Amino acid sequence: MSATTLLQRPSIAVSDFRCSAAPGDRPFAEWHHCHSVSYVRKGSFGCHSRGHFFELVAGSVLVGHPGDEYVCTHDHVCGDECLSFFLAPELVETIGDRTDIWQIGAAPPLPELMVLGELAQAAAEGRSDVAVDEVGMLFAGRFIEVVSGRKRDLPRAGELDRRRAVKAALWIDAHSHEALDLERAAMEVGLRPFHFLRLFAKVLGVTPHQYLVRSRLRRAARLLAEGASSITDVAFDVGFGDLSNFVRTFHRAAGVSPGRFRRAAKGDRKILQERLGAAVAG
């Protein structure tokens, strides 16, 4: 079993697990150390938990409750891969802390969870402008909604909540060149991260991280058009910590690379009409 920590925040941690166990390997007991939801993205395994047995396949969810023992088996195929979200008690209290739900052991492949699981995987691989902690919280919240059969909608945003969302957006935009995360932004407006995430998206139509990325892209486009700085300098000046991530994100948004965008800004009509025009139309 290999485990890679992808993200560690006060409210949530995200890890990538890859197990190479095969049929015939001796199983052993493990314990859940905190509340967790693990999205099975590949392979299959069995799980004994609280007197029940589950077969998990791609799209299933392994559910953890603090202190519960479980045993995983591999009777049919070799190995599995999971994207796991470990939740702090405060976050669990916010999204729903019913013991009967957190002790179900596992959830079958459900479309409402599978689509978010794949979005989470895309975020973990840098293929989405949603942050992995954001989609992890949404995944956990959706799990509670689906299993309990209850929809947990925020009430209509009042004036105070709208003011908080706008204040947060202005703060994110002003500090977008810095290393920001969901926890820090939520702290600025005095909210818990999960509530802040849902409130921000409800009022403004994008998640905090999406707004952060788009603020950085807006500044990058401005600097590229001005043409005074190198592409590498632009990437780091606006807040991207990795050049390849900046190039990939900018291309996804603009339909062209930063270099070709700069050429278009300098008067290359072919790029402007054929590439940027197509991106805008799409």
Side-chain angles (χ1 to χ4, degrees), residues 47-235:
C47 181
H48 295 268
S49 177
R50 299 184 64 82
H52 300 282
F53 180 73
F54 310 91
E55 290 284 4
L56 290 90
V57 295
S60 300
V61 178
L62 179 67
V63 182
H65 181 270
D68 280 3
E69 179 182 301
Y70 66 101
V71 177
C72 291
T73 61
H74 291 80
D75 298 327
H76 310 298
V77 299
C78 177
D80 60 87
E81 297 180 6
C82 296
L83 185 64
S84 299
F85 303 96
F86 302 97
L87 316 178
E90 296 79 10
L91 177 56
V92 175
E93 180 183 348
T94 302
I95 65 176
D97 57 359
R98 282 177 46 186
T99 302
D100 60 329
I101 293 178
W102 287 104
Q103 290 188 328
I104 65 170
L110 300 171
E112 302 92 335
L113 299 180
M114 293 170 72
V115 292
L116 283 178
E118 292 303 319
L119 178 59
Q121 186 61 42
E125 296 173 358
R127 295 184 287 107
S128 169
D129 63 356
V130 178
V132 68
D133 56 341
E134 289 181 342
V135 72
M137 291 184 187
L138 294 174
F139 183 84
R142 189 67 174 130
F143 157 72
I144 294 294
E145 292 175 0
V146 172
V147 173
S148 67
R150 294 188 304 176
K151 181 71 173 176
R152 289 171 49 90
D153 280 332
L154 285 173
R156 182 179 178 86
E159 182 179 350
L160 175 59
D161 284 341
R162 295 197 303 273
R163 187 182 304 121
R164 279 173 165 166
V166 171
K167 178 183 177 182
L170 293 174
W171 183 85
I172 290 171
D173 187 57
H175 295 80
S176 61
H177 59 288
E178 302 175 12
L180 303 183
D181 58 49
L182 185 65
E183 309 270 351
R184 184 178 171 191
M187 190 181 303
E188 284 296 316
V189 291
L191 293 173
R192 289 185 176 182
F194 180 71
H195 181 63
F196 170 67
L197 168 61
R198 299 192 72 183
L199 172 66
F200 191 98
K202 187 179 186 72
V203 173
L204 298 177
V206 293
T207 71
H209 187 74
Q210 285 176 319
Y211 186 71
L212 171 63
V213 170
R214 293 168 196 187
S215 293
R216 290 172 175 171
L217 291 175
R218 177 170 57 84
R219 284 181 166 77
R222 183 187 307 155
L223 292 174
L224 289 169
E226 292 172 354
S229 303
S230 70
I231 292 175
T232 299
D233 286 343
V234 168

Side-chain angles (χ1 to χ4, degrees), residues 29-59:
E30 301 176 78
W31 286 265
H32 293 292
H33 299 291
C34 64
H35 293 86
S36 64
V37 282
S38 299
Y39 177 68
V40 183
R41 67 168 181 266
K42 185 177 180 180
S44 173
F45 62 96
C47 181
H48 295 268
S49 177
R50 299 184 64 82
H52 300 282
F53 180 73
F54 310 91
E55 290 284 4
L56 290 90
V57 295

